[in-house]
Amino acid sequence: MSTNIKNHIRRLRFESGDITQEALARQCGVTRQTIISLEAGKYTPSLELAFRLAHAFKVGVDDVFEWQGITETDSRTAKA
Amino acid sequence: MKLPSIRVLFLDGLALVLLYMLFLSPDLPKEAHLGVWGNLIILAAIWGALYAWVKVRKVANDTRSLGEQLAGISFFFMVVVAAFFFWRLHQLGWQTSLADHHTRAIGRNVVMMLIGFYIVRYIITQQHRALLGTGGEAMEDERDSEISVRAGAHSHLFLIFAIIVLIVQLGFGGNVFEQYATPVNIAHWLIGILTLSCVVEYGSAMWQYHHINAE
């Protein structure tokens, strides 16, 4: 379930005054385990959650998430 | 870890009620020895699940979401129910009457396991709600929902596959199969298929949680 979308949640948490995973989870209405999975790059959030995260950090969605582009695996899948 | 006295009292009370219902209930047949192992399995499963969870609940709440905890507990119980059901399936016989004491004892054990399962689920959910109630953190979110939907789809696929196999066997199994295909026996097979579909659902959820948590 690893994704092509990289996120900067961990960095933003520290830059925003050491927000804990628990506090961020409360702000976004998700469980702390989801924040952990997001930071580990194991889970791709819904568009709504992406906006909630961006709102929590008071930045744009682009500042939180970064698309890594099409990987070699994706290209093979698309061709097949 | 020192257990709070109210929880110990509650667990003791629950065990006593279960013991009464399993061994002293007025409708139990005299040949109750047939159900002893099943009853012990029920008690061991319910008690073990509650005790183990009480022991690890702080760590579990820190590292696992409610959905993941429930998936694990549900998988454990459904495996126990399925194992007991298939272990005892031959005792139900091919021409069993539902009025038969042995059949009812097996049915009661399965039902008691399911009741125990719902009690454990309820206790864990309420405990989790109490812990999170003050913090305002969500109990379940979109990640749990997605996993639940995928697990349900896997269970559905298994159910369709198993029912098709049963239909084909009933239709084309020939004389050898026909002698076993009594109405009551078909009902037992369907119960078995439903139980296994639950095992598949919770097993799939557990696997997905494990996969998403893996480093």
Side-chain angles (χ1 to χ4, degrees):
Chain A
M1 289 186 196
S2 60
T3 69
N4 293 341
I5 299 174
K6 187 182 173 187
N7 69 69
H8 305 289
I9 295 173
R10 190 173 174 79
R11 178 173 59 78
L12 285 165
R13 275 200 304 114
F14 290 117
E15 286 177 4
S16 306
D18 276 353
I19 300 176
T20 61
Q21 290 174 332
E22 203 175 333
L24 182 60
R26 273 202 302 272
Q27 282 188 55
C28 298
V30 296
T31 61
R32 195 169 66 86
Q33 285 74 27
T34 296
I35 301 295
I36 293 170
S37 298
L38 281 166
E39 287 189 359
K42 295 286 178 186
Y43 176 66
T44 307
S46 68
L47 195 55
E48 186 183 345
L49 179 54
F51 274 102
R52 283 188 195 180
L53 286 161
H55 181 74
F57 293 123
K58 296 182 176 59
V59 296
V61 176
D62 274 5
D63 297 318
V64 184
F65 295 98
E66 184 185 328
W67 188 47
Q68 300 274 278
I70 298 171
T71 63
E72 203 174 309
T73 314
D74 290 335
S75 307
R76 278 202 299 268
T77 311
K79 280 175 188 171
Chain B
M1 182 187 292
K2 192 177 184 303
L3 297 175
S5 58
I6 192 161
R7 184 165 293 115
V8 175
L9 285 173
F10 174 78
L11 291 176
D12 287 344
L14 181 67
L16 286 173
V17 170
L18 287 171
L19 275 170
Y20 169 78
M21 290 175 78
L22 292 170
F23 294 106
L24 303 172
S25 180
D27 65 332
L28 269 182
K30 289 202 168 92
E31 305 87 353
H33 63 275
L34 277 177
V36 166
W37 287 109
N39 296 337
L40 285 176
I41 288 172
I42 297 166
L43 287 175
I46 295 171
W47 186 269
L50 275 174
Y51 186 75
W53 181 77
V54 164
K55 281 285 187 191
V56 301
R57 77 182 194 285
K58 188 171 185 316
V59 178
N61 286 334
D62 284 346
T63 56
R64 303 277 181 258
S65 69
L66 176 64
E68 188 170 0
Q69 289 183 51
L70 291 181
I73 292 283
S74 305
F75 179 72
F76 168 74
F77 264 94
M78 282 303 155
V79 165
V80 172
V81 169
F84 175 74
F85 183 78
F86 286 104
W87 174 41
R88 291 285 181 167
L89 189 59
H90 71 281
Q91 284 189 356
L92 295 171
W94 308 125
Q95 300 288 345
T96 313
S97 161
L98 292 179
D100 182 75
H101 286 322
H102 299 165
T103 308
R104 287 170 60 197
I106 293 169
R108 183 170 43 242
N109 288 345
V110 170
V111 170
M112 287 305 296
M113 273 190 268
L114 292 175
I115 290 173
F117 161 60
Y118 282 108
I119 289 173
V120 171
R121 273 185 75 110
Y122 179 79
I123 291 171
I124 291 174
T125 306
Q126 290 305 311
Q127 182 76 24
H128 207 86
R129 193 188 301 277
L131 279 174
L132 296 181
T134 50
E137 193 181 330
M139 287 173 70
E140 288 180 296
D141 59 24
E142 60 177 45
R143 189 183 69 130
D144 299 301
S145 303
E146 284 173 19
I147 287 175
S148 175
V149 167
R150 275 197 293 267
H154 294 156
S155 169
H156 195 185
L157 275 175
F158 170 81
L159 201 57
I160 290 171
F161 175 76
I163 293 291
I164 288 173
V165 168
L166 185 60
I167 290 169
V168 168
Q169 287 295 321
L170 286 172
F172 304 101
N175 294 334
V176 178
F177 194 76
E178 275 173 18
Q179 62 178 316
Y180 302 114
T182 62
V184 172
N185 208 26
I186 290 172
H188 293 153
W189 292 337
L190 290 174
I191 291 169
I193 287 172
L194 280 174
T195 310
L196 283 180
S197 75
C198 290
V199 172
V200 169
E201 179 172 353
Y202 296 126
S204 165
M206 270 186 68
W207 179 82
Q208 288 180 70
Y209 277 116
H210 175 74
H211 193 67
I212 211 168
N213 289 339
E215 289 299 329

